[in-house]
Amino acid sequence: MSAETDTEAARRAAPAGPGRRRPAPWVLMYHSVAEFTDPAEDPYGITVTPQALETQLQWLRARGLRGVSVGELRRARAAGRADRLVGLTFDDGYADFLTHALPLLQGYGCSATLFVLPGRLGVDNVWDPLGPRKALLTAEGVREVAAAGQEIGSHGLVHQHLTACPDDVLAQELRGSRELLHELTGTLPEGFCYPYGTVDRRVLAATRAAGYSYACAIAPGRLAGTYALPRTHVSQADGPLRLRAKQLRHRARQLRAAVLP
Ligand SMILES: [Zn+2]
């Protein structure tokens, strides 16, 4: 079986040129990594067990791929050496990133981007009404993740639907969270991640104006680009076959996007 990557296939099928859109890289979206047994305990499908994450990292390795933070992925793409890289993102900044995800990522030579909410440090995911309640990293925890070489990005201040926010609140979510993370880690975050994946042209323009270099969405449709990177949700159910199907679906979408006007 060919181990050809999305980028290689898309480049050959749709070479860059006037009117061509550059295919988006493959970026995976995770949230929490924790033990659980009953899917009913996880109604939003945001949890994978450490065992499932390890199987998924093994699958990447078996296909000659390596997971990296979006910042690292972008730098590698700019240098033309990203063909074997896949973006790994973890939304919300759960405390279990330190205990469960980080040791596995390090064991497989991977890095990731953790999108945190500096207005909710040390509390829990109160925005998910059905639960389960999951602890978020404290300020010290975020610093520990950064010191371990992982990328810290902003997920806004308190997890709001930004498309519904008035301009002043939107600016505070984007700029205020960026400044707080700068104070917290000593580094200005490059990346933003839209809560719930919701983005429109106004939110996208405000994100760019706030100084971010890129932003992650989920399925941004025609807004797809540097400030609305599409991502593939990875769940507990995703073993090798389902991951392969998701990889092919991403590749097909990029091929379509590259040839459509
Ligand atoms: Zn979120």
Side-chain angles (χ1 to χ4, degrees), residues 29-31 46 90-94 115 117 127-128 155 159 193-197 218 231:
M29 175 178 67
Y30 289 93
H31 290 77
I46 59 167
F90 291 75
D91 289 12
D92 303 336
Y94 292 105
F115 291 110
L117 298 147
W127 61 86
D128 283 338
H155 201 25
H159 213 282
C193 173
Y194 303 111
Y196 309 100
I218 300 175
R231 292 184 298 164

Side-chain angles (χ1 to χ4, degrees), residues 6 13 31 41 63 76 99 112 120 124 127 145 150 163 205 208:
D6 293 359
H31 290 77
E41 291 171 19
R63 297 195 62 79
T99 49
R120 294 243 190 251
D124 64 26
W127 61 86
V145 171
Q150 309 302 303
T163 51
R208 188 198 309 254

